Amino acid sequence: MEDYIIDFLIKFQELIAKNVKIQHLGIENVKKLCGIDIAYKGNIGYAVAVKEDEGKIEYNLVKGDVFFPYIPTFLFMREAPLMIKAVEKYECDLILVDGHGLTHPRKSGIATVIGVLLDKPSIGVAKSRLTGDLVVENDTTYVVVHGEKLGVKVGKYFFSIGNKTDLSDVIGLAKNGYPRVLKLADKLSKDLKKKE
């Protein structure tokens, strides 16, 4: 990848990070919950957004070519375009994204990028730690980045603030384990990929 492209992407992420709003949403107030995940078959991406509204589940699949290579910390360039296309048809009180939020070296993981671009509340739920230290306090394992608590680890998952949410929201969500909408989005994206 050319240096000028990397420089541009870093500047984009810095701009995203400056536009993050950290505010309390209140997990108990969420009625319309959306989860997004993506699976690949070669250079074809299968993004699925799952919406849960008072127990009713629906989903939207978006399939498309993926041209950007996998580069750590720039996952948003590979996955966000299809993920946004999949979720933008829904009104969501909260978007959960398979990936990081502010627990990212430039505070702009894919959950933050999607939350800021759509101006929606978002939380990232990742399967591995990208950055930060794990600090245990009162039975809670926090992900601390540059001295700031930006997420928590529950079981094998890392939950972090995306946009228009706060640490209290992240903890409230994480208490219920891995979210059902993300499990469904993961399963559906893989099932749809296999059918092709």
Side-chain angles (χ1 to χ4, degrees):
M1 187 69 53
E2 299 288 341
D3 287 346
Y4 70 90
I5 294 173
I6 297 296
D7 289 344
F8 171 80
L9 294 176
I10 290 170
K11 283 181 175 36
F12 176 80
Q13 286 179 313
E14 289 169 349
L15 182 62
I16 289 289
K18 286 179 185 170
N19 284 283
V20 170
K21 296 178 183 118
I22 298 177
Q23 59 194 45
H24 186 64
L25 174 67
I27 292 298
E28 67 281 0
N29 299 321
V30 173
K31 304 291 184 229
K32 299 172 186 172
L33 181 64
C34 295
I36 327 169
D37 203 348
I38 191 167
Y40 295 96
K41 188 173 192 176
N43 286 330
I44 305 293
Y46 300 82
V48 174
V50 173
K51 178 184 174 187
E52 183 174 11
D53 184 357
E54 297 181 2
K56 182 184 170 198
I57 299 284
E58 58 184 292
Y59 71 91
N60 184 39
L61 163 71
V62 173
K63 172 184 158 186
D65 294 324
V66 177
F67 299 104
F68 200 85
Y70 172 74
I71 301 173
T73 75
F74 296 115
L75 186 63
F76 76 94
M77 281 297 294
R78 184 171 173 81
E79 298 189 351
L82 287 174
M83 284 182 158
I84 288 172
K85 195 73 180 155
V87 79
E88 68 186 355
K89 77 174 276 187
Y90 296 129
E91 270 302 314
C92 308
D93 297 328
L94 174 62
I95 299 171
L96 305 182
V97 182
D98 178 44
H100 289 279
L102 294 181
T103 55
H104 178 279
R106 288 174 292 283
K107 289 188 172 180
S108 56
I110 191 166
T112 300
V113 170
I114 289 173
V116 170
L117 290 178
L118 294 178
D119 194 27
K120 295 279 187 186
S122 64
I123 291 176
V125 184
K127 297 173 184 79
S128 61
R129 181 167 49 117
L130 187 58
T131 192
D133 299 312
L134 299 180
V135 176
V136 180
E137 291 178 13
N138 301 324
D139 297 326
T140 301
T141 304
Y142 293 97
V143 182
V144 179
V145 182
H146 304 299
E148 192 176 4
K149 293 175 185 170
L150 298 175
V152 293
K153 179 179 187 278
V154 174
K156 60 182 183 178
Y157 299 104
F158 296 84
F159 296 74
S160 62
I161 300 164
N163 184 52
K164 291 189 166 184
T165 54
D166 65 9
L167 191 60
S168 173
D169 294 320
V170 170
I171 292 168
L173 178 74
K175 282 180 183 173
N176 297 318
Y178 193 71
R180 181 166 82 142
V181 290
L182 284 178
K183 282 181 192 170
L184 288 171
D186 176 63
K187 182 181 183 325
L188 287 167
S189 64
K190 288 175 179 167
D191 288 351
L192 292 162
K193 173 188 80 168
K194 286 178 190 170
K195 286 180 185 174
E196 294 277 317

